[in-house]
Amino acid sequence: MNEDTYKIGDVVTLKSHPLAFQPNGEIDAYVNQIPPFMCIKEIHIEKKKILFSKEKEDAKIADYVKYLCTYFNQHRMIFEEKYVYHDFLIPLKDIVFHNNDEKLQDNHVILSEETSKYSIAKYKFGERVFFKTYKLEKRKKFKTAGHDRNSTTKTTMTHTSPAFVLSGFKPNDQKNIYNQKDGKIQRECSKELYKITWYNAYQEKFSEEYLPAEFLTDDLRIYQSIKNGIVPLSKDKS
């Protein structure tokens, strides 16, 4: 795969996300028009594909690399999936979050760097874990925050997931696929899946879902604030 290909569990979003182009990391858009932060679930490499339009020269219409991306639908309280081309996405390092301090402390860690270093939660039945985008979605700040009149969204917190409880484990039935001729990968998947349980207020019931282990973290920094310049470390599971 190319060096710029995302990995399983990487956090990405669409290039149209306001934090990719609006200054100072302050969103000036309807809250219901903001795309979610997503985690890469599968990587698909397609070699036999028509990339350019037959009607117009040099008009690209597809890509060799696409990803199955997962995000949390806050309204329906479930996870959603969508195949997205590589060219549509932007990495987390290119997203700017607003900071109230004009001058940052020397030991300040920006949120994108912190998120990239979250440890994968070790499986333990009944343990509390979080989807990796939890803090990113809560961290959004708005210059103006309006709602489309037809939207069901009534809060500025969009795509924010709850805390989850680990309730099961299994190897992934979906396996990596390699080209039989050259051995190059065509589909890459996670090896381990964790089952998580949460209360689904939309359906007024408990919901369960198997997700790649790479999506979930129990890193304390995801919900604890920095105090006195000290960043909490991950829990020691030894």
Side-chain angles (χ1 to χ4, degrees):
M1 290 186 291
N2 297 330
E3 291 183 1
D4 60 348
T5 305
Y6 300 114
K7 302 186 297 295
I8 302 295
D10 280 357
V11 178
V12 295
T13 189
L14 295 179
K15 291 179 178 177
S16 57
H17 198 293
L19 294 180
F21 63 89
Q22 291 185 343
N24 302 320
E26 289 183 297
I27 297 174
D28 184 13
Y30 282 130
V31 296
N32 54 298
Q33 296 176 351
I34 302 170
F37 289 107
M38 305 175 287
C39 285
I40 300 293
K41 184 177 183 180
E42 295 179 4
I43 304 169
H44 293 253
I45 312 295
E46 301 177 340
K47 293 302 182 184
K48 295 182 179 180
K49 193 174 187 69
I50 298 175
L51 296 185
F52 295 90
S53 171
K54 297 179 180 179
E55 285 73 30
K56 181 175 174 59
E57 186 178 0
D58 297 329
K60 189 175 181 180
I61 57 173
D63 196 352
Y64 283 132
V65 182
K66 67 179 180 181
Y67 307 91
L68 183 58
C69 297
T70 303
Y71 66 94
F72 191 76
N73 182 323
Q74 179 176 309
H75 176 64
R76 298 178 62 203
M77 291 291 291
I78 59 173
F79 287 92
E80 306 270 16
E81 296 180 347
K82 175 66 178 178
Y83 283 101
V84 185
Y85 284 123
H86 180 86
D87 285 351
F88 293 2
L89 298 173
I90 188 171
L92 189 56
K93 66 180 180 64
D94 292 340
I95 294 293
V96 176
F97 287 91
H98 179 74
N99 197 296
N100 292 329
D101 299 325
E102 293 185 5
K103 185 177 181 180
L104 301 179
Q105 299 180 15
D106 293 338
N107 61 351
H108 180 82
V109 179
I110 63 175
L111 185 53
S112 59
E113 293 178 356
E114 177 188 310
T115 302
S116 68
K117 295 177 181 178
Y118 285 152
S119 57
I120 299 173
K122 294 181 181 179
Y123 180 78
K124 183 179 180 182
F125 186 75
E127 190 77 2
R128 180 183 60 236
V129 293
F130 294 85
F131 191 46
K132 284 172 62 175
T133 68
Y134 174 84
K135 192 172 181 178
L136 297 169
E137 297 292 1
K138 293 189 70 174
R139 180 69 167 71
K140 298 193 298 288
K141 291 188 178 180
F142 292 83
K143 184 176 181 181
T144 58
H147 296 83
D148 187 291
R149 66 179 63 184
N150 297 318
S151 173
T152 57
T153 301
K154 302 301 180 184
T155 175
T156 56
M157 286 190 183
T158 54
H159 315 300
T160 304
S161 54
F164 304 102
V165 175
L166 291 175
S167 55
F169 170 92
K170 69 175 182 179
N172 194 355
D173 293 334
Q174 292 279 88
K175 305 299 182 182
N176 292 352
I177 296 177
Y178 298 87
N179 187 297
Q180 294 182 348
K181 293 183 178 180
D182 57 21
K184 293 183 179 180
I185 196 160
Q186 293 180 314
R187 182 184 73 189
E188 183 177 355
C189 308
S190 176
K191 295 180 180 179
E192 297 180 343
L193 302 179
Y194 292 174
K195 184 166 73 170
I196 55 174
T197 300
W198 69 98
Y199 176 65
N200 185 325
Y202 180 75
Q203 298 182 25
E204 294 189 349
K205 69 174 187 177
F206 286 98
S207 291
E208 295 179 328
E209 179 87 17
Y210 276 100
L211 294 177
E214 293 88 344
F215 285 12
L216 302 168
T217 184
D218 56 0
D219 195 304
L220 295 178
R221 293 174 295 179
I222 203 165
Y223 60 89
Q224 287 190 354
S225 301
I226 297 174
K227 295 182 179 179
N228 300 321
I230 300 175
V231 181
L233 300 175
S234 301
K235 288 185 288 184
D236 186 357
K237 291 299 188 69
S238 59

